[in-house]
Amino acid sequence: MSGTQQMSTVMFYENSAWKKHKSCGTSSLLAMTPKKPQQWLQVVGHAGSFRVGDYGTLLKRFCEEEQQCYLRLMEDALRPFVPAYHGVVQQDEQDYNMMDNLLTHFNTPACIMDCKMGSRTYREEELLLARERPQPRNDMYEKMVAVDPEAPTVQEQAQQAVLKTRYMQWRESLSSTTTLGFRIEGFRKANEECHTNFKRTKSREQVMEALNNFVESNTHIACGYLRRLKQLRQVLEASDFFRTHEVVGSSLLFVHDWTGRTGVWMIDFGKTVALPPHLTVDHRTPWVEGNREDGYLWGLDNLIDILGNMLPQT
Ligand code: I3P
């Protein structure tokens, strides 16, 4: 089901030329190999968004929305479930948000997985913008036809371009985002194999197969993840931050190593915004335009359920 990519396609070196510069994109699943500080690996997300910081920190290209989230999260019950935030630093005239490198306490090679949470991966304001000022994109059209040549409409074929929101919705419905409220973006296993071909991983069975592959059918690891996810759910349900924010495009980063140590953290808050004061969301109610629901907890419920079903039933 999932394809295997060579690491050379996703490995970056600190001094290599960065191909893409974005000020506010989400980027995930990045790891630094501690024994080789110059060597980076990034399995999914925007290339060029990260740098190694000093003292076990990670520098992520500055994004004000993300900074605001981290500042609030440092004061919230969710603090143990996000990387510690250390402020803004500048390198080569570029600002970065500095945070803990979550892999510091794991043995190498650590196994890492990125799950994008929620039933929606674009903000409501992006929809409004697409209506007011449509900007069809050829790169997204190309990505779409590479997966399914039949997917574009006649008009999109004529334009050789699709709107970003249309592309994002198509990605959601192709994967488990729409059916389960989360999707696997990619993972790296202990043997350094990277799996990133999950665009069509949609059913519970397919997701379970991929998760099993990631944990290599190790019930101790699966159990560790399950425990941590249940703790996270409890804290999310009590968190002021969570109650008052639309959490879109955010991921859960899973890490384990050969000792059996496991951890899960919330990362990527570039598209997470505070709700207007009169509005609250429960993160489980289905989204209709205007209600700002993101399906985050619905996705977490499903993830917990699937992981639980991978363990021997008692
Ligand atoms: C990308 C993915 C990213 C999105 C990016 C998409 O698609 O949806 O989440 O960035 O948009 O291209 P894919 O995974 O199929 O490659 P944002 O979450 O920051 O919107 P972009 O090309 O505008 O960066």
Side-chain angles (χ1 to χ4, degrees):
M1 174 192 52
S2 65
T4 304
Q5 285 197 346
Q6 293 303 308
M7 284 307 295
S8 58
T9 60
V10 287
M11 190 176 274
F12 300 90
Y13 290 87
E14 200 183 7
N15 298 323
S16 69
W18 287 351
K19 291 178 204 130
K20 187 174 175 187
H21 296 284
K22 271 188 70 119
S23 61
C24 199
T26 54
S27 299
S28 323
L29 197 56
L30 181 128
M32 187 184 77
T33 311
K35 284 185 189 139
K36 299 177 194 162
Q38 292 295 91
Q39 195 179 52
W40 287 69
L41 58 94
Q42 181 170 348
V43 184
V44 297
H46 297 120
S49 298
F50 291 92
R51 279 192 163 191
V52 182
D54 292 332
Y55 311 112
T57 60
L58 202 63
L59 309 184
K60 181 171 180 186
R61 193 167 282 266
F62 182 75
C63 168
E64 197 179 337
E65 282 91 342
E66 187 155 49
Q67 177 196 37
Q68 289 308 311
C69 288
Y70 273 114
L71 289 172
R72 290 176 201 142
L73 283 163
M74 289 304 99
E75 306 293 323
D76 191 82
L78 280 170
R79 187 180 171 136
F81 292 91
V82 296
Y85 178 69
H86 302 294
V88 182
V89 291
Q90 206 182 48
Q91 277 192 11
D92 300 329
E93 295 175 12
Q94 170 65 50
D95 286 343
Y96 292 90
N97 281 318
M98 181 161 72
M99 58 197 82
D100 274 357
N101 176 356
L102 296 168
L103 298 193
T104 314
H105 302 295
F106 288 86
N107 285 282
T108 48
C111 305
I112 46 181
M113 175 172 73
D114 179 304
C115 282
K116 191 173 274 195
M117 299 304 292
S119 54
R120 178 163 54 90
T121 57
Y122 54 88
R123 292 204 292 228
E124 284 197 11
E125 66 187 39
E126 292 181 74
L127 264 186
L128 297 177
L129 208 68
R131 278 185 208 125
E132 280 165 18
R133 268 189 290 134
Q135 290 182 313
R137 285 175 52 172
N138 172 260
D139 62 326
M140 289 190 154
Y141 176 84
E142 296 295 341
K143 285 203 281 187
M144 190 183 247
V145 291
V147 176
D148 180 2
E150 307 292 312
T153 62
V154 174
Q155 192 193 358
E156 287 162 350
Q157 280 172 24
Q159 289 186 319
Q160 299 271 296
V162 293
L163 292 174
K164 177 167 177 176
T165 43
R166 149 86 168 123
Y167 175 80
M168 301 292 263
Q169 287 167 344
W170 169 77
R171 284 277 277 117
E172 290 167 6
S173 58
L174 199 68
S175 67
S176 58
T177 292
T178 303
T179 48
L180 296 169
F182 73 93
R183 70 174 180 238
I184 298 172
E185 288 281 298
F187 59 70
R188 190 192 79 145
K189 292 173 67 172
N191 62 7
E192 307 210 337
E193 261 177 27
C194 277
H195 297 250
T196 55
N197 187 10
F198 296 106
K199 285 197 170 78
R200 286 180 179 277
T201 301
K202 185 175 176 128
S203 69
R204 291 177 83 84
E205 293 69 31
Q206 287 173 313
V207 170
M208 197 184 279
E209 189 186 327
L211 292 175
N212 235 321
N213 183 6
F214 173 60
V215 301
E216 306 203 60
S217 306
N218 183 323
T219 49
H220 173 78
I221 303 280
C223 216
Y225 281 140
L226 187 60
R227 216 176 305 124
R228 173 86 170 163
L229 289 177
K230 284 182 175 171
Q231 288 164 357
L232 170 64
R233 180 166 61 185
Q234 230 175 359
V235 176
L236 282 169
E237 282 171 335
S239 155
D240 288 335
F241 177 90
F242 198 55
R243 197 173 26 253
T244 53
H245 285 73
E246 176 185 14
V247 184
V248 167
S250 178
S251 286
L252 287 180
L253 184 76
F254 292 69
V255 190
H256 67 268
D257 63 21
W258 63 268
T259 67
R261 190 191 160 104
T262 53
V264 182
W265 291 270
M266 295 172 77
I267 58 167
D268 290 345
F269 300 101
K271 295 204 290 189
T272 292
V273 281
L275 293 163
H278 64 277
L279 210 66
T280 52
V281 290
D282 63 20
H283 304 275
R284 284 192 176 100
T285 299
W287 176 65
V288 287
E289 198 174 342
N291 75 359
R292 310 282 294 265
E293 289 287 354
D294 54 40
Y296 192 111
L297 274 181
W298 174 58
L300 186 56
D301 290 339
N302 283 323
L303 184 51
I304 286 173
D305 192 53
I306 292 170
L307 257 175
N309 278 305
M310 284 163 53
L311 295 169
Q313 306 299 306
T314 49

